Amino acid sequence: MPPSPPRPSRTSSGTRTRAVGPPHPPLIRDLLASGRRSFSFEFMPPKTEAEGHQLWRAIRQLEPLRPTFVSVTYGAGGSTRDRTVRVTGRIAEETTLTPVGHFTAVNHSVAELRQVIGSYAAVGVRNVLALRGDPPGDPNADWIPHPDGLTYAADLVRLIRSVGDFCVGVAAFPEKHPRSPDSETDVRYFVAKCRAGADFAITNMFFYPEDYLRLRDRVTAQGCDVPIIPGIMPVTSLRVIEKARELGGCRVPAELWERLQAVAGDRAAVREIGVDYAAGMCERLLAEGVPGLHFYTLNWSRATREIYQRLNLAERSRSGSSAPITA
């Protein structure tokens, strides 16, 4: 991994100065091409001042782990667009982290999409995650494109690649996208995004490693070698699972659900079970040669830090080791 830029410093008067890093931030495709595994985190833009403090607390607690990159989500219908760009830019300016900004086509004309791309470029962000996005209000409602906008994520990938030297990631779905009629159709849409210019992919959350492995095999069979990074969400509350089922029909192992329900009133016990299950998934996936792991943090750091410690991921990231874990 290229050397990280230094933290911002303060002058004798206490004024914060801009971090002086490399002239261009690293591109995720180059970091992945180095052969090292990618370990990354996802954050959400805060809605309140208290949430803002929590977000930056989590960022500072996770920063010493030196992730390959961090991403910042983009609300349904572009509802957090400005906040997402601001947070992503602040991460680029005030931390040693490489940020990836989310970017969706929902409720945006092509002209507005170009403005968002320009906003990211203006704050020094060159890595973006291109998503078609869910309908605002009801994620399960019919998706209706903006009359002057784009219809598919592949179109968004092409637009981004046409306006500058950006590295573009896309979404992948181990259990297929909820709107895809079958797995074969879902893979065709995914490969289309890659052929439009996507450099890497991150999956949505899942609980069965076999689902990820089958997706990888189907994509490889189509002649596509774009790295697909598994998305991992450690369960820290039963609400996490309920939300996953609501949004994407995510399959949850009956044994895991029963264990969690048995201790539903004990938050520490729920987190312990969730972390243990996620760590086991990570171990299996790494043994299967995945290109990395992407942790959905929900703006909290403890569960992710515990998994890092159990599997010694920080040391593996620094050393560049790609050998299977034997924990």
Side-chain angles (χ1 to χ4, degrees):
M1 181 182 296
S4 299
R7 290 176 179 271
S9 59
R10 293 186 182 273
T11 64
S12 58
S13 63
T15 303
R16 183 181 287 274
T17 60
R18 184 182 178 89
V20 181
H24 299 291
L27 297 177
I28 304 306
R29 62 170 173 259
D30 297 333
L31 300 177
L32 291 172
S34 71
R36 296 187 179 186
R37 281 191 167 128
S38 169
F39 298 108
S40 53
F41 312 134
E42 181 170 295
F43 302 109
M44 303 178 295
K47 298 178 182 178
T48 65
E49 183 176 352
E51 289 182 1
H53 290 313
Q54 177 55 46
L55 166 64
W56 283 94
R57 186 180 303 115
I59 288 174
R60 292 306 187 186
Q61 289 172 336
L62 291 169
E63 186 176 9
L65 300 181
R66 298 183 63 189
T68 309
F69 65 90
V70 299
S71 67
V72 183
T73 63
Y74 195 91
S79 58
T80 67
R81 180 183 68 185
D82 294 340
R83 279 181 282 138
T84 295
V85 173
R86 284 199 302 271
V87 170
T88 307
R90 185 179 170 190
I91 290 173
E93 182 177 14
E94 298 184 12
T95 77
T96 63
L97 303 169
T98 297
V100 173
H102 285 217
F103 192 16
T104 76
V106 179
N107 281 1
H108 289 335
S109 67
V110 170
E112 289 170 333
L113 292 172
R114 290 181 182 276
Q115 289 179 349
V116 177
I117 297 170
S119 297
Y120 276 131
V123 295
V125 174
R126 300 172 66 214
N127 299 286
V128 295
L129 192 67
L131 311 165
R132 190 184 70 170
D134 295 319
D138 180 4
N140 296 313
D142 291 337
W143 196 87
I144 301 174
H146 187 286
D148 298 315
L150 302 175
T151 302
Y152 299 108
D155 299 327
L156 186 57
V157 172
R158 277 188 283 269
L159 175 65
I160 297 168
R161 294 303 297 267
S162 72
V163 298
D165 184 20
F166 287 89
C167 174
V168 185
V170 293
F173 302 90
E175 299 180 60
K176 81 176 183 60
H177 191 281
R179 293 184 179 85
S180 292
D182 51 61
S183 297
E184 289 71 23
T185 301
D186 195 64
V187 168
R188 286 199 298 271
Y189 278 116
F190 175 77
V191 172
K193 292 188 289 188
C194 296
R195 290 176 178 162
D199 297 294
F200 67 98
I202 300 173
T203 77
N204 66 335
M205 66 179 292
F206 60 97
F207 290 99
Y208 289 92
E210 293 79 8
D211 288 336
Y212 168 89
L213 298 173
R214 280 192 288 266
L215 167 66
R216 186 176 66 177
D217 289 346
R218 288 193 295 267
V219 170
T220 300
Q222 294 296 315
C224 180
D225 61 358
V226 168
I228 303 175
I229 302 171
I232 306 296
M233 183 179 287
V235 175
T236 54
S237 73
L238 269 65
R239 179 59 183 154
V240 169
I241 289 183
E242 292 166 354
K243 193 69 173 176
R245 285 173 163 171
E246 174 188 336
L247 294 179
C250 187
R251 296 190 305 128
V252 180
E255 180 183 357
L256 173 62
W257 181 242
E258 291 168 1
R259 291 178 61 200
L260 290 168
Q261 284 186 311
V263 296
D266 186 337
R267 294 181 60 184
V270 168
R271 188 185 66 251
E272 175 63 24
I273 291 172
V275 166
D276 183 66
Y277 189 87
M281 281 186 58
C282 292
E283 185 174 1
R284 166 78 188 282
L285 291 165
L286 289 168
E288 293 283 354
V290 298
L293 300 168
H294 184 72
F295 292 93
Y296 296 108
T297 71
L298 301 179
N299 290 2
W300 297 88
S301 70
R302 183 171 177 178
T304 301
R305 287 187 287 123
E306 288 176 353
I307 293 172
Y308 254 65
Q309 183 175 7
R310 290 189 188 198
L311 301 184
N312 199 26
L313 297 185
E315 179 58 34
R316 291 170 63 83
S317 177
R318 285 192 290 269
S319 68
S321 171
S322 59
I325 284 179
T326 55

